[in-house]
Structures are given as C-alpha cells and as structure tokens.
Amino acid sequence: MPNKKFFISWIVSSIYMYGISFVWHGIILNDLARLTYPKNLFLLLAAIAYMGFGFALAVAINYININKTKISRGLIFGIPLGVFVYLIAFVFGISFNSRPNMMHVAMDLTWQVIEQGTGGLVAGLVFRLVQIQERINKQLIQ
C-alpha cells in the first residue's frame, strides 16, 4: 500500500524531471519556441506525462524487490524508462526536429536516459531521506 515515502518520492521526482526537461528544451535548446500548438497546452500535457513517469519510477523503486538500495533502484529503473520514453516519442514522431539525423537521435536518446535516470536517482534519494527522517522521528518519540 502506498505510503508517505511513495508519494513524496513520486511528486519530487516528477517535478524534478519536468523541471530539467523545461530547462533543457525551453532554455538551453529553445525548442519550445518551435512548437506548432499552444505552449500552455504542451506544458500541461508534459506535466501530466511527467507525473506518469514519476509514478512509474515510484512504483518500481518501492515495489519491485531487487537486492539493491532504493537509490540504486532509481537508476536501474530510470535508465530503461528513459529509453522507453524516447522510443515512444520517436515512433510517434514526437520531436522538436522535423527531420532528425543520427546526431539528433543520439542526443535525444542520451538526454532522455539522463533525464529519467537522474529522475530515478532523485526518487530513490527522496525515499531514503524520508525513511531516515521517519526513523529519527520514531527515536525522538521513544
């Protein structure tokens, strides 16, 4: 059953991935200026998508039991999620480049792996920090 650690790691990792995506696409690459539909619609749909990505990471980190720390699990599950997200975007033609060449494909794939991989690390780290805080609070109460 989801607990405080689950929800906090989900929300923080979602916000983190959404934030770094905005910095990368909106500020560094200035991709958002090339949108052919309203930017607000894109940002809303992206926020919903990142909530889904964060949820998937939180579920994997919390409920798929492998003999690794939560932080390691975040990376282990985040990297394949980045590949999966990129493959879906590539197959459906969702790209800021109308005619991507192999360099663009490699850069976009690398970025998604970094984005979701570090998002998984953040989810695992937040889970661990909340867990430590709960232990400290429990010891203070006793």
Side-chain angles (χ1 to χ4, degrees):
M1 184 131 149
N3 54 26
K4 183 168 86 172
K5 294 181 286 279
F6 173 87
F7 285 109
I8 294 173
S9 65
W10 168 21
I11 299 303
V12 171
S13 68
S14 297
I15 292 169
Y16 168 80
M17 290 183 289
Y18 181 79
I20 66 170
S21 176
F22 181 82
V23 168
W24 178 254
H25 292 291
I27 298 171
I28 296 172
L29 298 180
N30 202 19
D31 286 334
L32 298 182
R34 290 186 266 155
L35 288 175
T36 58
Y37 48 90
K39 188 180 349 180
N40 289 341
L41 177 62
F42 173 81
L43 294 174
L44 173 65
L45 295 175
I48 293 168
Y50 281 101
M51 290 300 290
F53 303 155
F55 181 79
L57 286 171
V59 167
I61 291 166
N62 286 287
Y63 298 111
I64 298 176
N65 194 6
I66 58 174
N67 292 330
K68 301 287 181 190
T69 66
K70 299 287 187 186
I71 297 169
S72 296
R73 288 185 203 181
L75 189 59
I76 289 167
F77 295 124
I79 289 172
L81 177 63
V83 172
F84 182 71
V85 167
Y86 179 74
L87 290 176
I88 289 174
F90 186 77
V91 167
F92 287 107
I94 304 166
S95 175
F96 291 106
N97 295 306
S98 59
R99 293 184 191 182
N101 60 31
M102 283 308 289
M103 180 63 133
H104 288 125
V105 169
M107 279 291 290
D108 287 346
L109 176 60
T110 301
W111 173 252
Q112 285 305 133
V113 166
I114 290 168
E115 187 177 290
Q116 272 67 60
T118 59
L121 283 173
V122 167
L125 180 62
V126 168
F127 184 95
R128 183 70 179 125
L129 291 173
V130 172
Q131 190 176 46
I132 290 168
Q133 184 62 45
E134 286 177 346
R135 285 184 185 160
I136 290 170
N137 290 343
K138 187 176 179 180
Q139 288 175 349
L140 291 174
I141 292 172
Q142 292 176 353

